[in-house]
Amino acid sequence: MELKDEVRIAAPRDRVYAALNDPEILKECIPGCEELIKHSDTELEAKVLLKIGPVKARFGGKVTLDPSQAPERFSLSGEGSGGAAGFAKGGADVELVEDGGETILRYDAKADIGGKLAQLGSRLVTSTSRKLAGMFFTKFAEVVSGEEPKGA
């Protein structure tokens, strides 16, 4: 599965990059996130409760960041397991482009899944993943730009 998109955020690149490294902001923005622990500047651990089609599971996973080209670019890789529901592993490349006082965030993510999740069919998993990514980036943009979340 591959996801690729770009999002315009009404904040300077340094603020966007700092927010992408702030576990409290990430926890607030990741759909279903119950816990996010920053073990180091490059290692995070998360617990997320997700429902994909008929499968609802609590996933535990680890993410490793490669900030060697930050703040312009960075990459991340990770893997998680939802017990009987299955597993996911993958990574993403993120680019932050300054555009006046705003930032264009581009991402290209790839993931492999197994277990019950893989049996659901790629169309359902991909559409749910796009929806979850959209929810994350909408909330992230609101938080970073200082806007009030819609419906609040």
Side-chain angles (χ1 to χ4, degrees):
M1 170 181 55
E2 187 169 339
L3 298 175
K4 196 177 214 176
D5 203 357
E6 87 176 29
V7 181
R8 180 173 290 275
I9 300 172
R13 180 173 61 193
D14 289 345
R15 187 180 336 156
V16 172
Y17 180 74
L20 286 169
N21 286 279
D22 184 326
E24 290 304 312
I25 290 175
L26 293 175
K27 182 180 177 188
E28 180 181 349
C29 298
I30 296 170
C33 187
E34 298 177 332
E35 184 177 57
L36 186 65
I37 301 166
K38 185 173 183 176
H39 291 296
S40 72
D41 286 345
T42 59
E43 293 185 22
L44 299 166
E45 183 177 353
K47 286 190 176 50
V48 179
L49 181 64
L50 289 177
K51 186 174 190 303
I52 301 175
V55 177
K56 184 176 181 181
R58 181 168 280 110
F59 288 84
K62 295 182 193 263
V63 176
T64 303
L65 304 173
D66 176 3
S68 61
Q69 297 179 29
E72 296 86 11
R73 300 175 181 272
F74 63 94
S75 61
L76 55 98
S77 60
E79 57 185 67
S81 175
F87 68 89
K89 63 181 176 178
D93 293 315
V94 178
E95 180 181 13
L96 300 176
V97 179
E98 288 182 297
D99 187 19
E102 297 186 333
T103 302
I104 299 168
L105 183 154
R106 293 187 182 110
Y107 66 90
D108 186 357
K110 294 178 177 65
D112 292 316
I113 57 170
K116 286 184 184 176
L117 289 176
Q119 296 169 2
L120 293 175
S122 64
R123 184 177 273 159
L124 174 62
V125 173
T126 300
S127 68
T128 302
S129 297
R130 286 188 204 290
K131 179 181 168 191
L132 292 169
M135 290 168 62
F136 170 81
F137 285 111
T138 298
K139 178 75 172 172
F140 182 79
E142 290 170 349
V143 170
V144 175
S145 66
E147 295 176 19
E148 280 297 309
K150 291 171 182 63

